[in-house]
C-alpha cells in the first residue's frame, strides 16, 4: 500500500510538472507573437511595454493579442501604456 501511494504521488507530481511546463511554453509563445505583432504595427516599442508584456500572464496576453487587430495606437492594446 505504501508503494502504491508513493507511485500515485509521483505520477501526480510528474503530471503537475508537465502542465506547468506546457503553461510556461504557451505563455512564452503568446508573448513572442504579441511582441512581434506590436512591433509590426507600431514600430520600435518602449522598454516599459516590452517589460509589461514579458511580465503578463496568459489571459491578459490573449486579450492584448486580440486588441492588436483593431487598435489604432499602442495605448488601445495595452490599456494606457505610454507609447
Amino acid at each position: 500500500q505504501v508503494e502504491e501511494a508513493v507511485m500515485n504521488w509521483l505520477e501526480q507530481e510528474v503530471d503537475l510538472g508537465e502542465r506547468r511546463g506546457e503553461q510556461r511554453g504557451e505563455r512564452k509563445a503568446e508573448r513572442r507573437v504579441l511582441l512581434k505583432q506590436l512591433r509590426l504595427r507600431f514600430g520600435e516599442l518602449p522598454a516599459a511595454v516590452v517589460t509589461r508584456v514579458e511580465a503578463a500572464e496568459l489571459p491578459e496576453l490573449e486579450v492584448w493579442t486580440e486588441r492588436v487587430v483593431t487598435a489604432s495606437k499602442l495605448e488601445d492594446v495595452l490599456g494606457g501604456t505610454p507609447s
Side-chain angles (χ1 to χ4, degrees):
Q1 242 181 4
V2 171
E3 184 177 326
E4 184 178 333
V6 170
M7 291 303 293
N8 287 337
W9 173 83
L10 182 58
E11 287 177 15
Q12 290 173 355
E13 290 299 308
V14 168
D15 288 344
L16 180 60
E18 287 175 355
R19 283 194 305 274
R20 286 180 179 160
E22 290 169 357
Q23 290 171 347
R24 279 193 300 267
E26 192 174 346
R27 279 193 310 267
K28 183 177 180 180
E30 192 77 23
R31 289 175 182 140
R32 185 175 56 243
V33 168
L34 177 58
L35 287 170
K36 184 175 184 175
Q37 288 177 330
L38 290 171
R39 286 184 179 110
L40 287 170
R41 180 137 184 149
F42 303 109
E44 191 57 35
L45 301 173
V49 169
V50 174
T51 299
R52 186 168 175 198
V53 169
E54 289 176 348
E57 295 298 326
L58 192 56
E60 192 170 33
L61 292 166
E62 290 172 342
V63 168
W64 292 344
T65 300
E66 291 172 2
R67 288 182 187 167
V68 170
V69 176
T70 58
S72 59
K73 57 188 185 232
L74 188 55
E75 292 88 356
D76 294 339
V77 177
L78 302 180
T81 299
S83 60

